[in-house]
Amino acid sequence: MRYYLYVSTVKVDMLYEQIPPKLLRRLAVEAKVDLKFVSVAVQSPRADTSTYDRLDLVEAYLDREFDVSWMSEPTAWFRGDLGLRIAGYGDANSPTLMTGRDGDLVVALIGSAHHLIGYQASPDMHRVSYSGLPSMFRLLQDIPPEWEYQFNVRWRSRMPSRESVTHDVLHFAESLTVPPVYCEFLARQLMRGTVTREDGRELTIVIGTPLYVAMSDGAPEGEEA
């Protein structure tokens, strides 16, 4: 069982609806999920599954049909296990950013706060998606005022450099003061780049948008918080 912190129901539903019916049936049998299939031609049973059943089936489909890699060498879809600092608890209709570092690797996951478990928007609220690079660019240029207490600098007086989004993400990650939560995650890669620091150390910056983030059992040995 997983203790989820974030589940993108929008991504889960979008991907779930694209799984071919015959393969969906096979995956459901393997995952022991009851889809209440009457026949392959009946499409309504797709709605009879819970969010977590659909997530299990989507994850199984991605593992079966795609090259899901580890975060250190990310492909289009990648997994990770990392101490993540989470910024964005506040307005349910705002972005959230989860970021962590492991050695020379920095991972930043951008998503929507209403997908944080227990932080959902009201049904009548117009929901805005923050799962793409344009949202990341806007976020780095204009940090929400309610986020400023989570940083060790006054962000509006020290705006991140516009020269490269990878530098901005690194500055963002290093400025967060909230304690990390050790998590496992599955994400879609949006961008990857490198930053060379003043001491000559080269860091890899991976930006993605998560399908899910769940608490992990503990910190991997040697991980930097």
Side-chain angles (χ1 to χ4, degrees):
M1 296 179 70
R2 289 181 177 140
Y3 193 94
Y4 290 102
L5 300 179
Y6 180 101
V7 176
S8 176
T9 54
V10 172
K11 296 188 194 72
V12 169
D13 292 343
M14 173 186 67
L15 296 168
Y16 179 72
E17 292 296 332
Q18 296 179 66
I19 301 175
K22 290 184 179 179
L23 181 54
L24 179 63
R25 191 177 197 175
R26 191 179 315 148
L27 292 172
V29 171
E30 293 173 0
K32 299 180 180 180
V33 173
D34 181 12
L35 292 183
K36 298 181 176 62
F37 268 104
V38 177
S39 69
V40 175
V42 178
Q43 297 181 6
S44 59
R46 285 181 181 265
D48 292 337
T49 55
S50 73
T51 295
Y52 299 108
D53 284 338
R54 293 195 295 274
L55 175 57
D56 286 344
L57 293 169
V58 166
E59 186 174 7
Y61 177 71
L62 292 174
D63 283 332
R64 185 186 187 108
E65 301 295 323
F66 293 84
D67 179 17
V68 180
S69 64
W70 191 246
M71 62 185 183
S72 56
E73 294 294 335
T75 51
W77 288 96
F78 66 95
R79 298 182 184 278
D81 195 335
L82 195 61
L84 296 176
R85 300 181 191 273
I86 303 175
Y89 281 97
D91 182 359
N93 207 22
S94 67
T96 185
L97 186 70
M98 294 163 270
T99 181
R101 179 174 168 183
D102 183 13
D104 293 337
L105 174 69
V106 177
V107 175
L109 304 176
I110 179 79
S112 304
H114 59 256
H115 291 313
L116 291 164
I117 302 302
Y119 231 76
Q120 315 216 337
S122 61
D124 59 345
M125 180 179 288
H126 174 66
R127 298 182 180 183
V128 181
S129 176
Y130 294 97
S131 296
L133 279 177
S135 295
M136 172 70 82
F137 299 151
R138 290 195 300 271
L139 178 60
L140 292 169
Q141 292 173 3
D142 190 14
I143 301 303
E146 64 271 19
W147 285 29
E148 290 189 356
Y149 75 94
Q150 301 179 54
F151 295 90
N152 62 10
V153 296
R154 290 189 60 81
W155 198 271
R156 291 178 185 277
S157 63
R158 287 187 57 190
M159 291 296 288
S161 168
R162 307 293 205 285
E163 294 178 4
S164 168
V165 69
T166 52
H167 285 82
D168 296 349
V169 167
L170 179 60
H171 180 62
F172 195 114
E174 292 181 336
S175 298
L176 269 174
T177 59
V178 292
V181 179
Y182 291 97
C183 300
E184 60 176 308
F185 55 84
L186 175 59
R188 181 65 161 86
Q189 184 181 171
L190 299 176
M191 181 178 172
R192 183 183 181 190
T194 59
V195 173
T196 302
R197 305 185 59 148
E198 293 181 359
D199 60 4
R201 188 175 183 179
E202 186 175 83
L203 302 180
T204 299
I205 313 296
V206 176
I207 302 171
T209 183
L211 184 64
Y212 72 79
V213 177
M215 291 183 68
S216 184
D217 291 337
E221 185 178 352
E223 178 173 299
E224 297 182 27

